[in-house]
């Protein structure tokens, strides 16, 4: 399984390193960069909320960057420079940022885009995506990881995953869509109690107006997603990218022709999956039958 550490830190599977999730372990360069941002912000007389509004990021994202817990993207740096006097300090510091081990190089570009996405679609057939996992479900995945993780690594992975899940709550203007195979719930990963909690959580998330969750029924004669899981992302600049993941690797897709093909497949799957209302009804029945 790939996603926890070496992939999106989130689709579900744990990776093989101590970190997990879409956020890096802090490093000296990240903490230093954050301290510079905070010093310039305070010098300008701005609190995090006002500064966040000026750079079009939430105050929580600003806090994560200032505390060295989140890798800033170029949009943040450029907007912050404009608000904080165009000293050039942030641009120069940005060139020297580095992460601790834990987030593979092939995923970093996707992680930066995911944090500012206008639209994020996910199709998953292997396990519940990390953004939707409960702690109990995620910990079961970590405990089943091979090679085995120690207790400290499991704690680190869950902390990173929980941090990444804040995207769902901190970005109410981002449109999230998930297509999940029915079998992911029927498998009962972690046991009945874990699955009950998972379904309750997914139903809670599905009630948010910017999040759509559809279930692909177990019996489906035509299925456009048999080639495997995928993610599609739209940036604020209306550019689309895709990400596909394997056992120990991932592929960031920028080629418009390939992205267009994946968009067509996802669109077809949306029509093949149950409607939003029917998906909720099925999950409720599954919850009652456990």
């Amino acid at each position: 399984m790939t996603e926890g550490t070496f992939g999106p830190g989130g689709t579900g599977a744990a990776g093989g390193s101590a970190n997990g999730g879409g956020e890096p372990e802090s490093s000296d360069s990240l903490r230093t960069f954050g301290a510079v941002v905070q010093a310039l912000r305070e010098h300008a007389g701005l609190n995090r909320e006002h500064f966040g509004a000026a750079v079009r990021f939430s105050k929580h994202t600003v806090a994560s960057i200032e505390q060295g817990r989140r890798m800033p993207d170029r949009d943040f740096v450029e907007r912050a420079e404009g608000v904080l006097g165009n000293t050039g300090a942030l641009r120069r510091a940005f060139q020297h940022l580095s992460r601790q081990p834990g987030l593979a190089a092939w995923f970093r570009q996707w992680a930066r885009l995911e944090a500012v996405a206008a639209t994020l679609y996910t199709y998953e057939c292997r396990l519940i995506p990390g953004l939707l996992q409960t702690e109990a479900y995620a910990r079961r995945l970590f405990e089943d990881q091979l090679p085995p993780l120690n207790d400290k690594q499991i704690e680190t992975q869950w902390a990173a995953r929980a941090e990444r899940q804040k995207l769902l709550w901190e970005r109410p203007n981002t449109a999230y869509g998930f297509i999940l195979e029915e079998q992911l719930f029927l498998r009962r990963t972690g046991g009945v109690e874990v699955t009950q909690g998972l379904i309750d959580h997914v139903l809670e998330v599905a009630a948010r107006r910017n999040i759509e969750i559809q279930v692909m029924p177990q019996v489906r004669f035509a299925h456009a997603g048999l080639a495997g899981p995928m993610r599609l992302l739209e940036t604020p600049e209306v550019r689309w990218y895709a990400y596909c993941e394997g056992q120990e690797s991932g592929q960031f897709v920028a080629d418009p022709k390939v992205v267009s093909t994946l968009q067509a497949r996802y669109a077809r799957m949306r029509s093949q999956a149950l409607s939003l209302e029917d998906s909720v009804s099925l999950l409720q029945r599954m919850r009652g039958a456990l």
Side-chain angles (χ1 to χ4, degrees):
M1 291 187 283
T2 59
E3 181 162 326
T5 299
F6 292 105
T11 330
S17 119
N19 190 26
E23 297 303 331
E25 291 183 49
S26 188
S27 66
D28 289 341
S29 63
L30 282 171
R31 286 189 289 268
T32 299
F33 180 90
V36 172
V37 172
Q38 182 174 353
L40 291 174
R41 173 181 61 77
E42 292 175 348
H43 182 73
L46 297 172
N47 62 30
R48 284 174 175 162
E49 185 173 3
H50 292 156
F51 175 66
V55 297
R56 304 200 294 277
F57 285 84
S58 73
K59 65 180 181 181
H60 304 289
T61 298
V62 172
S64 292
I65 291 173
E66 290 184 351
Q67 294 162 8
R69 295 187 290 111
R70 183 182 291 255
M71 173 73 82
D73 65 10
R74 190 167 297 278
D75 286 339
F76 176 90
V77 174
E78 292 301 323
R79 294 171 193 170
E81 280 281 9
V83 173
L84 300 176
N86 278 312
T87 65
L90 297 182
R91 292 190 186 96
R92 288 192 292 271
F94 181 70
Q95 298 174 9
H96 302 288
L97 289 181
S98 64
R99 305 168 185 260
Q100 294 289 84
L103 193 61
W106 42 260
F107 177 67
R108 291 174 186 171
Q109 188 173 6
W110 181 264
R112 288 194 292 270
L113 292 172
E114 185 183 60
V116 297
T119 305
L120 184 65
Y121 293 144
T122 300
Y123 163 64
E124 185 55 72
C125 57
R126 305 165 303 177
L127 60 161
I128 300 298
L131 287 175
L132 299 178
Q133 291 174 10
T134 61
E135 181 175 356
Y137 181 91
R139 285 183 179 277
R140 181 58 190 229
L141 296 176
F142 300 149
E143 291 167 1
D144 289 342
Q145 173 64 27
L146 293 174
L149 303 177
N150 60 40
D151 290 345
K152 182 178 180 181
Q153 288 174 322
I154 289 175
E155 293 302 320
T156 301
Q157 290 224 12
W158 167 245
R161 185 148 304 172
E163 178 69 20
R164 179 172 173 260
Q165 289 179 349
K166 292 179 181 179
L167 287 174
L168 292 180
W169 315 106
E170 293 179 359
R171 299 187 60 79
N173 299 121
T174 296
Y176 294 95
F178 298 89
I179 299 176
L180 309 175
E181 293 287 343
E182 181 181 357
Q183 69 189 32
L184 301 182
F185 301 95
L186 295 176
R187 186 177 295 138
R188 301 186 184 183
T189 299
V192 171
E193 185 175 349
V194 170
T195 303
Q196 289 174 333
L198 178 66
I199 293 176
D200 289 341
H201 177 66
V202 170
L203 288 171
E204 178 185 359
V205 173
R208 297 180 66 84
R209 66 173 60 94
N210 64 316
I211 301 175
E212 296 184 346
I213 296 178
Q214 291 179 264
V215 176
M216 183 69 76
Q218 190 173 26
V219 177
R220 170 57 66 194
F221 296 155
H223 193 321
L226 296 180
M230 71 171 78
R231 290 173 187 74
L232 294 163
L233 179 152
E234 180 190 18
T235 71
E237 295 76 29
V238 198
R239 297 174 184 169
W240 283 88
Y241 299 94
Y243 179 80
C244 302
E245 189 177 74
Q247 285 278 336
E248 295 294 334
S249 64
Q251 180 184 19
F252 180 88
V253 182
D255 185 331
K257 291 184 179 180
V258 179
V259 173
S260 179
T261 297
L262 296 177
Q263 286 177 307
R265 293 176 184 172
Y266 191 89
R268 178 66 61 83
M269 281 192 287
R270 292 181 76 174
S271 69
Q272 294 170 335
L274 299 178
S275 69
L276 300 178
E277 294 79 7
D278 289 345
S279 294
V280 167
S281 179
L282 174 61
L283 288 172
Q284 290 172 336
R285 293 198 304 272
M286 293 173 66
R287 171 66 168 82
L290 290 174

